[in-house]
Amino acid sequence: MAELKTRLQNDLTVAMKARETVTAGALRMALTAVTNEEVSGKQARELSDDEVVKVLAREAKKRKEAAEAFDGAGRAEKAELERQELAVLEAYLPAQLDDAELASIVDKAVEAVAAQLGEAPGPKQMGQVMKVVNAEVAGRAEGGRVAAAVKSKLTS
C-alpha cells in the first residue's frame, strides 16, 4: 500500500478520535477519491505515492473552485468550509514552486528542446516544452500556471 495512503488513513483515525469534523471530512473525501481511482478501469490496482498525490491535487483543485463558486453565490460559510478542507489537503501535497523556480525550470526546458530541434522553439513547439516542464514540475505547480509560463517564454 502506498505510504501516503496509509498516512491519510492514520490521520483520519486521529481526526475522528479528536472530533475534528472538517479534517475528518476532508480526509474521508480524499480517501474515497483515492479508492475510486484504484478501482476505476478494467482491473483494480494499488496506487503509487505519485498517483495518490495527483488524486489529492485534483481534489484540492475542486475545493478551490468550489470556494470561488460559493463566494460568487454569496455563501461565505460554505466557501470557508471548502477553504478549510483545501488547507487540510494541501498539507499532504508537495510544496508549490514559486514563480522564479518555475521560470528557471521553463528556461531549462526551452534550452533542452532547442538542443533537440537545432533552433529556438516557438509557440508551435509548446507541447514539446510542456512535456519536459511537466516531467520536472511533477505536481508542484498547477497546469495553468505552467502553461502560462511556457507560453510567455515562447512568445517573448
Side-chain angles (χ1 to χ4, degrees), residues 12 15-16 18-28 81 84-85:
L12 174 61
M16 288 169 63
R19 299 194 187 284
E20 297 171 353
T21 56
V22 173
T23 304
L27 292 177
R28 263 194 203 106
L81 176 64
Q84 290 172 359
E85 290 178 355

Side-chain angles (χ1 to χ4, degrees), residues 57-133:
R58 193 168 52 232
E59 290 298 308
K61 183 178 178 188
K62 287 179 188 177
R63 300 294 168 276
K64 190 179 297 182
E65 290 171 353
E68 291 170 5
F70 282 130
D71 275 337
R75 304 212 34 210
E77 68 284 344
K78 293 289 275 182
E80 184 57 34
L81 176 64
E82 293 292 336
R83 283 193 196 88
Q84 290 172 359
E85 290 178 355
L86 174 63
V88 170
L89 294 177
E90 285 177 339
Y92 297 94
L93 295 172
Q96 295 292 300
L97 295 172
D98 64 19
D99 291 337
E101 291 170 320
L102 182 59
S104 170
I105 291 171
V106 169
D107 290 342
K108 290 177 188 171
V110 168
E111 289 172 13
V113 171
Q116 287 176 345
L117 296 174
E119 63 182 15
K124 289 183 178 180
Q125 288 81 25
M126 184 171 173
Q128 293 173 315
V129 177
M130 285 291 294
K131 186 176 181 182
V132 174
V133 172

Side-chain angles (χ1 to χ4, degrees), residues 3-5 7-8 26-35 37 47-64 85-86 88-94 96 139:
E3 189 177 308
L4 184 55
K5 183 178 176 187
R7 190 172 133 214
L8 286 168
L27 292 177
R28 263 194 203 106
M29 283 189 272
L31 282 167
T32 300
V34 169
T35 303
E37 186 73 21
L47 295 182
S48 68
D49 277 343
D50 289 340
E51 292 170 318
V52 172
V53 167
K54 286 180 185 175
V55 172
L56 291 178
R58 193 168 52 232
E59 290 298 308
K61 183 178 178 188
K62 287 179 188 177
R63 300 294 168 276
K64 190 179 297 182
E85 290 178 355
L86 174 63
V88 170
L89 294 177
E90 285 177 339
Y92 297 94
L93 295 172
Q96 295 292 300

